[in-house]
Amino acid sequence: MPSPSPAIPRSRLAVLAAAALLAACSPAFNWREVPIAGAGLVAMLPCKADRATRALPLGTESVQVDMTGCEAGGATFAIAHAFANGPEQAEAWLRAWHTATRGQLGEAQVTESAASVLRATAVPAPLRLETQPPQKGTATPLQVLWFAQSQKDGSVALYQATVLGQPSSAEASKTFFEGLRLP
């Protein structure tokens, strides 16, 4: 007759059960305020942010863009930031940024609307874009908000706030976009 398997001590079983319970209760979204690229914008991000810089083609120019973002609850939350020399360049770059984004969306249904961001410039005006894939499961949902803020030195800070994917919480995108604060 085979010997019975050794029993797991009750104390160890209690620790394993507590660990499983804590893992199940850990929030997918751990919101925190994150300063963006020293430009004054503060964003609410649902996780610890990663940062990167890359060159982005905007029209005929290659522009250095600082990016801050993270992944949580099935979506990526990110803010891209660049400085334009003045309002004309800012408007041209934001138009190119918007056009480049639209060009990557293929056949997704796109909704655009004017947006409101407290202390953002009126020109270029804040613009919001949302997509719905043409067929469920064929593309990733996208929400983008472009806006700008004039700086004391005459330059213009440009921003693109993005939620890529479908967050597991219906309130996550709203929290992210409403958490953007300009000084």
Side-chain angles (χ1 to χ4, degrees), residues 7-18:
I8 298 175
R10 284 187 182 205
S11 61
R12 182 170 174 134
L13 189 57
V15 169
L16 290 172

Side-chain angles (χ1 to χ4, degrees), residues 31-99:
W31 295 98
R32 68 211 51 218
E33 291 187 347
V34 178
I36 303 300
L41 177 69
V42 174
M44 290 291 293
L45 287 174
C47 41
K48 184 177 179 188
D50 291 319
R51 297 180 188 267
T53 300
R54 71 175 186 146
L56 182 69
L58 295 179
T60 60
E61 300 180 60
S62 180
V63 178
Q64 283 299 113
V65 177
D66 295 316
M67 293 176 288
T68 304
C70 62
E71 292 182 36
T76 299
F77 299 80
I79 298 101
H81 164 263
F83 278 109
N85 292 327
E88 289 177 9
Q89 187 179 56
E91 194 163 6
W93 284 2
L94 279 182
R95 190 172 38 253
W97 213 340
H98 172 258
T99 301

Side-chain angles (χ1 to χ4, degrees), residues 77-162:
F77 299 80
I79 298 101
H81 164 263
F83 278 109
N85 292 327
E88 289 177 9
Q89 187 179 56
E91 194 163 6
W93 284 2
L94 279 182
R95 190 172 38 253
W97 213 340
H98 172 258
T99 301
T101 301
R102 285 288 308 246
Q104 296 174 2
L105 299 178
E107 295 182 24
Q109 293 177 337
V110 177
T111 303
E112 291 186 12
S113 59
S116 177
V117 178
L118 190 61
R119 297 186 188 88
T121 59
V123 177
L127 178 64
R128 180 108 184 227
L129 176 145
E130 293 186 44
T131 67
Q132 291 302 317
Q135 297 175 358
K136 193 160 183 94
T138 59
T140 304
L142 175 70
Q143 298 173 64
V144 182
L145 172 63
W146 291 276
F147 58 101
Q149 185 182 42
S150 297
Q151 304 294 294
K152 291 178 183 176
D153 65 1
S155 66
V156 179
L158 305 175
Y159 301 98
Q160 175 184 288
T162 304

